[in-house]
Amino acid sequence: MNDIDIRELIDSYKEIGTSTIGHLTEEGYLPDIKSLYPCTATIVGRVLTVQLTSDNTEMINQALIQAAPNDVLCIDARVLGVKACWGALRTCAAIYEKLSAVIIIGQATDSLQTQQLGFPVFAQGISAVTTFKSNQAQGTLESDIAYRFGEQATTIRSGDIAIMDNDGVFILSVDVAQQLLSGCQKKHEEDEMKFQRFLEVYRNNELDKLFNN
C-alpha cells in the first residue's frame, strides 16, 4: 500500500472502537497493555518499534527523532523488569515530535504529569523505579517484537497499524487491518444505532416503548 492508502486506513479506524475489532478477531490484541489514564477517543497510527536489550534506553531518544508525525512508538522494555523507561520528559519530547501515542511493553512513570499533558501512553503498568544513564549495549530500532501473553502471540513490526482506546490495544498488519475494515465498520454502525436508540428512550424514560415493540 502507498502512503495515501495507509492514511485513509488510519483515518477510518479512528471511528472504530477496539471492542468492535474484538468482536471479529483476537489477532493483534495486547491483553495486558492499558491506557495510563482514561482515553476518550480511538488513537490510530503507524508503528515504529524500539527493542531494549539492556538498561541503556538511548535508542528511545533516537526513535523520537526518527519517528514521523502521527507515528506510534512501540517499545519492548521487558528487559528492564520493574524499571520504567518512559516518563514526563519523554512525553514532552513525543508531543514536540507530533507522535500519536506510545505503547510500552513494560512500565511507565510520572503518571500524573503524563495525564496533565494529555498525551496517550499505554503500558503494562506504572513504576516509581526508573533507569539511569548506562554504557551497556543499546537496543535496536525497527526490529520485530515477539509479544506473548498467555496463549496470545503477536509479532509487532514497524509499519503495522496500532489502534488504541480505553478498552485496550490492537496492533495489526496493514493487510489484516484492510481486510477487517469493512466488517468493523458494519459492526460499529449496527451497534451504534442500537445504543443511540436505547439512550434516547432511556433519557426520556420510555424504555417500555422500546421493549414492547
Side-chain angles (χ1 to χ4, degrees):
M1 290 181 93
N2 58 40
D3 287 342
I4 294 175
D5 291 329
I6 292 174
R7 285 198 296 270
E8 291 175 354
L9 189 63
I10 287 172
D11 287 343
S12 296
Y13 270 99
K14 288 179 181 178
E15 304 299 321
I16 297 169
T18 58
S19 62
T20 299
I21 302 171
H23 277 288
L24 303 182
T25 186
E26 294 181 29
E27 182 176 349
Y29 178 52
L30 311 187
D32 62 336
I33 307 296
K34 304 298 178 186
S35 179
L36 257 61
Y37 60 90
C39 180
T40 59
T42 303
I43 312 298
V44 189
R46 190 160 45 180
V47 169
L48 176 64
T49 63
V50 182
Q51 192 157 31
L52 301 181
T53 55
S54 73
D55 63 359
N56 184 340
T57 63
E58 177 60 28
M59 190 58 66
I60 297 175
N61 297 335
Q62 295 184 33
L64 283 164
I65 295 170
Q66 181 167 321
N70 303 315
D71 277 357
V72 174
L73 286 191
C74 183
I75 304 167
D76 182 356
R78 287 172 289 186
V79 69
L80 299 180
V82 300
K83 293 181 180 179
C85 68
W86 189 275
L89 294 182
R90 280 190 166 140
T91 300
C92 292
I95 292 170
Y96 177 78
E97 298 294 346
K98 298 181 174 60
L99 271 63
S100 289
V102 63
I103 298 167
I104 305 158
I105 307 174
Q107 310 300 310
T109 193
D110 300 333
S111 56
L112 291 179
Q113 293 93 329
T114 300
Q115 184 169 359
Q116 285 181 302
L117 290 165
F119 181 80
V121 176
F122 296 78
Q124 287 178 324
I126 299 170
S127 175
V129 182
T130 61
T131 58
F132 296 88
K133 190 171 181 65
S134 172
N135 293 321
Q136 294 192 47
Q138 286 192 11
T140 57
L141 194 60
E142 297 192 79
S143 58
D144 294 353
I145 296 173
Y147 168 90
R148 288 188 175 276
F149 183 85
E151 296 182 357
Q152 188 76 2
T154 300
T155 301
I156 303 168
R157 299 179 173 90
S158 285
D160 287 348
I161 305 297
I163 306 155
M164 306 148 283
D165 62 17
N166 209 53
D167 293 330
V169 175
F170 275 88
I171 297 183
L172 306 174
S173 71
V174 171
D175 287 344
V176 169
Q178 187 180 35
Q179 291 165 12
L180 289 172
L181 180 59
S182 62
C184 287
Q185 289 173 324
K186 181 180 179 183
K187 177 66 175 170
H188 170 75
E189 290 170 4
E190 292 172 349
D191 288 354
E192 186 65 15
M193 186 180 301
K194 293 175 184 176
F195 179 75
Q196 292 300 328
R197 174 60 178 152
F198 179 88
L199 198 60
E200 178 184 354
V201 297
Y202 176 63
R203 285 173 171 171
N204 293 320
N205 197 25
E206 297 175 339
L207 287 178
D208 288 344
K209 288 185 177 180
L210 181 65
F211 290 101
N212 290 334
N213 290 335

